Amino acid sequence: MGVNIIGSGSYVPDNILDNEMLSKLVDTNDEWIVERTGIRRRHISKDETTEDMALKACQRAIEKSSIDVDEIEMIIVASVTSDTKVPSTAFTIAGRMGLKNIICMDINVACSGYIYAIATAKAMMRDMGKKYALVVGAERLTKYVNWEDRTTCILFGDGAGCMILENEDLVEDRSVSKYKYEIIDYHLGGKPDVNKYLTIDAKDKIDDEDNLYIGMNGRQVYKFATDVGPKVIDKLLKDNSVDESQVYSFVAHQANMRIIECLSDRSNIGMDRWYTNIQEYGNTSSASVAIAFDEVVSRLESSDQDEGEILGKYLITTAFGGGLSFGGILMKIKKA
């Protein structure tokens, strides 16, 4: 029973905060930020909630795929910045879409959340015989940013991405898009962050105002990410007898350009094979891979490249983040 991604969509707020603007808020400058992170701009929500952005990403994915909304049987949202603890963001989105009798849940695995959500959706669709699922990554991280801390405020932005998963055994063939992406395998893991290298603490610790903000030990997160990233890729390739030359593109969590460059170096895969958009969005946590994947898909759909050079190739997405967590997904490009 195959589960394919048949559509994707993303949304970021129109409000932009570039490095020059940021330098007026905190002691920093464009050169310093770009050299250390690769980030030039980030999109900041002024009045849109996490749910608002998630819904817009879902609507764009549905519009491009042309599925019947009433056929959606599951929504899974990965987020650390949900607007309410109860109800979950997934149930709120379902209600705003007019859906009833639907499986909904939120997943909090920080920047790896979207990988975990895709894996969870695939397993549940296969075991429960569900036809369509929406898998969403949505974050309004800037509401937890300390704009006086130049080590963290330069990093984060807001946005959302969505993928539509289809259980191919339960539907007729579709031809809306040029390609679909079969989820071949995934690898998930993590270890307890006992030293609190990456945190957003609960508001019941409000006696210490710092607990309301994102806290991060950048050096330790870098070491963790650059250690586990190549291992995840290597495992996915070896377990599925895929050579790295068969991978069309690698889509990593957009946390820091230095991390992606290190992943490229340690895996001996040239930077030209790694898709990056961190320069435009910064780190959007659970939304990061989803937004990047949507852009990769959009390029593939509009490409005039010969289909023979694309069909049968693979995509690999990988992420790492709070927990400390990590994960990766191997997908095969097929004719829609």
Side-chain angles (χ1 to χ4, degrees), residues 75-77 87-95 103-106:
I75 299 176
I76 299 180
V77 176
S88 69
T89 300
F91 273 111
T92 301
I93 292 172
I103 297 171
C104 294
M105 72 171 75
D106 287 2

PDB file of all heavy atoms in Angstrom, residues 75-77 87-95 103-106:
ATOM      1  N   ILE A  75      -5.943  15.280   9.693  1.00  0.00           N
ATOM      2  CA  ILE A  75      -5.084  16.461   9.685  1.00  0.00           C
ATOM      3  C   ILE A  75      -4.100  16.335  10.843  1.00  0.00           C
ATOM      4  O   ILE A  75      -4.502  16.138  11.995  1.00  0.00           O
ATOM      5  CB  ILE A  75      -5.886  17.768   9.837  1.00  0.00           C
ATOM      6  CG1 ILE A  75      -6.882  17.946   8.684  1.00  0.00           C
ATOM      7  CG2 ILE A  75      -4.931  18.971   9.883  1.00  0.00           C
ATOM      8  CD1 ILE A  75      -7.772  19.184   8.829  1.00  0.00           C
ATOM      9  N   ILE A  76      -2.817  16.428  10.529  1.00  0.00           N
ATOM     10  CA  ILE A  76      -1.779  16.411  11.546  1.00  0.00           C
ATOM     11  C   ILE A  76      -0.984  17.704  11.406  1.00  0.00           C
ATOM     12  O   ILE A  76      -0.521  18.038  10.309  1.00  0.00           O
ATOM     13  CB  ILE A  76      -0.851  15.196  11.413  1.00  0.00           C
ATOM     14  CG1 ILE A  76      -1.646  13.895  11.565  1.00  0.00           C
ATOM     15  CG2 ILE A  76       0.270  15.253  12.455  1.00  0.00           C
ATOM     16  CD1 ILE A  76      -0.817  12.633  11.441  1.00  0.00           C
ATOM     17  N   VAL A  77      -0.834  18.422  12.504  1.00  0.00           N
ATOM     18  CA  VAL A  77      -0.111  19.694  12.499  1.00  0.00           C
ATOM     19  C   VAL A  77       1.116  19.585  13.396  1.00  0.00           C
ATOM     20  O   VAL A  77       1.011  19.183  14.562  1.00  0.00           O
ATOM     21  CB  VAL A  77      -0.996  20.854  12.983  1.00  0.00           C
ATOM     22  CG1 VAL A  77      -0.187  22.154  13.060  1.00  0.00           C
ATOM     23  CG2 VAL A  77      -2.197  21.042  12.052  1.00  0.00           C
ATOM     24  N   PRO A  87      -8.585  23.634  22.029  1.00  0.00           N
ATOM     25  CA  PRO A  87      -8.383  22.540  21.076  1.00  0.00           C
ATOM     26  C   PRO A  87      -7.064  22.677  20.324  1.00  0.00           C
ATOM     27  O   PRO A  87      -6.480  23.754  20.251  1.00  0.00           O
ATOM     28  CB  PRO A  87      -9.572  22.696  20.128  1.00  0.00           C
ATOM     29  CG  PRO A  87      -9.875  24.159  20.154  1.00  0.00           C
ATOM     30  CD  PRO A  87      -9.621  24.597  21.571  1.00  0.00           C
ATOM     31  N   SER A  88      -6.626  21.563  19.746  1.00  0.00           N
ATOM     32  CA  SER A  88      -5.390  21.566  18.975  1.00  0.00           C
ATOM     33  C   SER A  88      -5.580  22.369  17.692  1.00  0.00           C
ATOM     34  O   SER A  88      -6.706  22.592  17.227  1.00  0.00           O
ATOM     35  CB  SER A  88      -4.982  20.135  18.621  1.00  0.00           C
ATOM     36  OG  SER A  88      -5.905  19.580  17.688  1.00  0.00           O
ATOM     37  N   THR A  89      -4.472  22.810  17.132  1.00  0.00           N
ATOM     38  CA  THR A  89      -4.513  23.543  15.868  1.00  0.00           C
ATOM     39  C   THR A  89      -5.173  22.718  14.778  1.00  0.00           C
ATOM     40  O   THR A  89      -5.933  23.244  13.956  1.00  0.00           O
ATOM     41  CB  THR A  89      -3.094  23.941  15.442  1.00  0.00           C
ATOM     42  OG1 THR A  89      -2.516  24.773  16.447  1.00  0.00           O
ATOM     43  CG2 THR A  89      -3.089  24.679  14.112  1.00  0.00           C
ATOM     44  N   ALA A  90      -4.922  21.422  14.761  1.00  0.00           N
ATOM     45  CA  ALA A  90      -5.498  20.558  13.730  1.00  0.00           C
ATOM     46  C   ALA A  90      -7.024  20.564  13.787  1.00  0.00           C
ATOM     47  O   ALA A  90      -7.701  20.649  12.753  1.00  0.00           O
ATOM     48  CB  ALA A  90      -4.972  19.130  13.891  1.00  0.00           C
ATOM     49  N   PHE A  91      -7.587  20.485  14.992  1.00  0.00           N
ATOM     50  CA  PHE A  91      -9.050  20.515  15.108  1.00  0.00           C
ATOM     51  C   PHE A  91      -9.598  21.878  14.716  1.00  0.00           C
ATOM     52  O   PHE A  91     -10.665  21.978  14.107  1.00  0.00           O
ATOM     53  CB  PHE A  91      -9.471  20.161  16.535  1.00  0.00           C
ATOM     54  CG  PHE A  91      -9.632  18.692  16.771  1.00  0.00           C
ATOM     55  CD1 PHE A  91      -8.743  17.994  17.579  1.00  0.00           C
ATOM     56  CD2 PHE A  91     -10.669  17.993  16.181  1.00  0.00           C
ATOM     57  CE1 PHE A  91      -8.880  16.632  17.801  1.00  0.00           C
ATOM     58  CE2 PHE A  91     -10.824  16.625  16.394  1.00  0.00           C
ATOM     59  CZ  PHE A  91      -9.922  15.948  17.198  1.00  0.00           C
ATOM     60  N   THR A  92      -8.894  22.944  15.066  1.00  0.00           N
ATOM     61  CA  THR A  92      -9.354  24.273  14.695  1.00  0.00           C
ATOM     62  C   THR A  92      -9.370  24.442  13.180  1.00  0.00           C
ATOM     63  O   THR A  92     -10.318  24.985  12.606  1.00  0.00           O
ATOM     64  CB  THR A  92      -8.457  25.350  15.329  1.00  0.00           C
ATOM     65  OG1 THR A  92      -8.493  25.208  16.749  1.00  0.00           O
ATOM     66  CG2 THR A  92      -8.939  26.739  14.952  1.00  0.00           C
ATOM     67  N   ILE A  93      -8.327  23.958  12.507  1.00  0.00           N
ATOM     68  CA  ILE A  93      -8.285  24.022  11.042  1.00  0.00           C
ATOM     69  C   ILE A  93      -9.431  23.215  10.439  1.00  0.00           C
ATOM     70  O   ILE A  93     -10.111  23.665   9.511  1.00  0.00           O
ATOM     71  CB  ILE A  93      -6.934  23.503  10.522  1.00  0.00           C
ATOM     72  CG1 ILE A  93      -5.817  24.463  10.915  1.00  0.00           C
ATOM     73  CG2 ILE A  93      -6.972  23.331   9.002  1.00  0.00           C
ATOM     74  CD1 ILE A  93      -4.440  23.931  10.606  1.00  0.00           C
ATOM     75  N   ALA A  94      -9.650  22.016  10.968  1.00  0.00           N
ATOM     76  CA  ALA A  94     -10.754  21.190  10.464  1.00  0.00           C
ATOM     77  C   ALA A  94     -12.078  21.927  10.598  1.00  0.00           C
ATOM     78  O   ALA A  94     -12.916  21.906   9.678  1.00  0.00           O
ATOM     79  CB  ALA A  94     -10.796  19.865  11.222  1.00  0.00           C
ATOM     80  N   GLY A  95     -12.291  22.580  11.744  1.00  0.00           N
ATOM     81  CA  GLY A  95     -13.534  23.320  11.945  1.00  0.00           C
ATOM     82  C   GLY A  95     -13.671  24.472  10.973  1.00  0.00           C
ATOM     83  O   GLY A  95     -14.760  24.713  10.425  1.00  0.00           O
ATOM     84  N   ILE A 103      -9.906  12.694  11.937  1.00  0.00           N
ATOM     85  CA  ILE A 103      -8.821  12.471  12.891  1.00  0.00           C
ATOM     86  C   ILE A 103      -7.917  13.695  12.891  1.00  0.00           C
ATOM     87  O   ILE A 103      -7.428  14.117  11.838  1.00  0.00           O
ATOM     88  CB  ILE A 103      -8.014  11.220  12.519  1.00  0.00           C
ATOM     89  CG1 ILE A 103      -8.898   9.975  12.583  1.00  0.00           C
ATOM     90  CG2 ILE A 103      -6.804  11.057  13.441  1.00  0.00           C
ATOM     91  CD1 ILE A 103      -8.247   8.731  12.022  1.00  0.00           C
ATOM     92  N   CYS A 104      -7.693  14.269  14.057  1.00  0.00           N
ATOM     93  CA  CYS A 104      -6.846  15.463  14.171  1.00  0.00           C
ATOM     94  C   CYS A 104      -5.877  15.319  15.331  1.00  0.00           C
ATOM     95  O   CYS A 104      -6.233  14.775  16.375  1.00  0.00           O
ATOM     96  CB  CYS A 104      -7.701  16.710  14.398  1.00  0.00           C
ATOM     97  SG  CYS A 104      -8.778  17.163  13.028  1.00  0.00           S
ATOM     98  N   MET A 105      -4.682  15.831  15.137  1.00  0.00           N
ATOM     99  CA  MET A 105      -3.719  15.871  16.243  1.00  0.00           C
ATOM    100  C   MET A 105      -2.619  16.871  15.936  1.00  0.00           C
ATOM    101  O   MET A 105      -2.334  17.162  14.775  1.00  0.00           O
ATOM    102  CB  MET A 105      -3.099  14.500  16.493  1.00  0.00           C
ATOM    103  CG  MET A 105      -2.111  14.042  15.426  1.00  0.00           C
ATOM    104  SD  MET A 105      -1.217  12.543  15.883  1.00  0.00           S
ATOM    105  CE  MET A 105      -2.522  11.337  15.641  1.00  0.00           C
ATOM    106  N   ASP A 106      -2.021  17.404  16.997  1.00  0.00           N
ATOM    107  CA  ASP A 106      -0.831  18.232  16.892  1.00  0.00           C
ATOM    108  C   ASP A 106       0.372  17.443  17.381  1.00  0.00           C
ATOM    109  O   ASP A 106       0.253  16.594  18.276  1.00  0.00           O
ATOM    110  CB  ASP A 106      -0.961  19.503  17.740  1.00  0.00           C
ATOM    111  CG  ASP A 106      -1.917  20.517  17.138  1.00  0.00           C
ATOM    112  OD1 ASP A 106      -2.514  20.236  16.079  1.00  0.00           O
ATOM    113  OD2 ASP A 106      -2.078  21.598  17.739  1.00  0.00           O
TER     114      ASP A 106
END
